[in-house]
Amino acid sequence: MTDRLKDELLTLALEAARRAGALLRDSRPADLGVAATKTSAIDVVTEMDIASEKLITGYLSEARPDDGFLGEEGSSTAGSSGVRWVIDPIDGTVNYLYGLPAWAVSIAAEIDGETAVGVVEIPSRGETFRAVLGEGAYVGDRRLEARPAPSLEQALVGTGFGYVTERRAAQAEIVRNVLPRVRDIRRGGSAAIDLCDVACGRLDGYYERGLNPWDFAAGELIAREAGARTGGRPGESLSTELAVAASPGLFEPLQQLLDELGAWHD
């Protein structure tokens, strides 16, 4: 994992995210509708999700034809270079569908299975978050630092919900129990943005069950490189089962509360 390779991957990820963000911002049809559904009738894909992923994979494949891909909208190739791109062409598709601003393009690059580069482009904010493993996290030219940890009772915590009815019901019960124990809860609708907001101090913590690798790959690296801690259940890595990110000092109390409440299962 050489510095030269990481720099190359970062440069490519930044340009791919910039191009996709511009496409999504400037070419959104006024009559944008649902092109397909996934886990349920409310888990939607738009024509712009598909166009964004096609743009990103086409650009990256031209530059590095031997790399692998894992994309939310179906791009999946093993590759032979040891590099795999993990792509969410629109994180926050429902927000994008409704014309709400909380959506992002998320691109991460893994080297031999370890996330080495992460970029989250948020066109509505005019912000580009980026991180390289071992080199810190930035938004624009500003180095990021997670907010000093408050007590759990004073923490502003972000979360999200799945699209399957049974899971949403369980998640609502978790929120019912978490809300009285924290300052407040925010639900933005984009895991990538929530993780970046932990990185830059707009949230003290964040948790969610049911994320996929493309939802968190870039954002988790950005949060960690900003000094936040990330994980799943106690002693486990962040995963589809449970994702937790928070300032050091808040991470363990929040993680322990979520584990006691059973936030890791439906």
Side-chain angles (χ1 to χ4, degrees):
M1 191 184 291
T2 65
D3 289 342
R4 182 176 179 180
L5 176 58
K6 288 189 289 186
D7 289 345
E8 177 189 356
L9 299 178
L10 175 63
T11 298
L12 290 170
L14 285 167
E15 180 61 16
R18 185 195 68 78
R19 293 186 183 196
L23 171 75
L24 295 164
R25 181 191 63 229
D26 299 337
S27 301
R28 181 186 181 278
D31 60 348
L32 180 66
V34 174
T37 59
K38 293 183 285 188
T39 60
S40 74
I42 55 174
D43 186 5
V44 300
V45 180
T46 72
E47 62 187 88
M48 297 303 290
D49 290 84
I50 298 166
S52 177
E53 185 160 303
K54 183 177 180 180
L55 183 156
I56 294 166
T57 57
Y59 175 78
L60 296 175
S61 293
E62 185 175 350
R64 294 183 54 87
D66 297 325
D67 290 354
F69 288 94
L70 177 65
E72 181 175 15
E73 307 312 334
S75 298
S76 182
T77 56
S80 59
S81 67
V83 172
R84 183 175 76 157
W85 298 94
V86 184
I87 300 162
D88 195 336
I90 308 179
D91 189 60
T93 294
V94 172
N95 286 341
Y96 184 77
L97 176 66
Y98 277 79
L100 295 170
W103 56 271
V105 178
S106 176
I107 302 175
E110 299 173 342
I111 302 175
D112 296 327
E114 183 175 18
T115 304
V117 168
V119 171
V120 175
E121 177 86 5
I122 311 175
S124 64
R125 292 183 181 176
E127 292 179 335
T128 303
F129 289 80
R130 71 184 192 276
V132 174
L133 184 64
E135 298 181 16
Y138 295 81
V139 57
D141 294 327
R142 178 169 66 90
R143 184 156 186 160
L144 298 175
E145 188 171 340
R147 177 183 290 273
S151 64
L152 182 63
E153 294 76 15
Q154 294 296 313
L156 183 64
V157 177
T159 192
F161 308 116
Y163 290 106
V164 176
T165 300
E166 294 78 7
R167 174 161 294 173
R168 291 163 70 86
Q171 289 172 322
E173 184 65 15
I174 299 300
V175 168
R176 187 182 71 81
N177 284 280
V178 171
L179 183 57
R181 307 189 199 190
V182 298
R183 181 191 295 273
D184 209 347
I185 286 181
R186 295 289 181 268
R187 193 276 201 257
S190 165
I193 293 178
D194 287 341
L195 287 162
C196 289
D197 282 347
V198 172
C200 70
R202 292 173 182 150
L203 289 173
D204 296 305
Y206 162 74
Y207 77 91
E208 189 164 349
R209 170 165 165 74
L211 297 182
N212 292 294
W214 47 79
D215 297 313
F216 64 75
E220 183 197 14
L221 180 65
I222 292 165
R224 283 194 286 111
E225 287 293 323
R229 291 185 59 189
T230 66
R233 297 190 67 191
E236 297 182 5
S237 300
L238 186 154
S239 69
T240 296
E241 186 177 62
L242 181 64
V244 185
S247 302
L250 173 63
F251 177 81
E252 287 187 356
L254 178 59
Q255 183 189 50
Q256 186 61 43
L257 172 61
L258 294 167
D259 194 59
E260 290 172 359
L261 293 174
W264 45 274
H265 65 80
D266 298 337

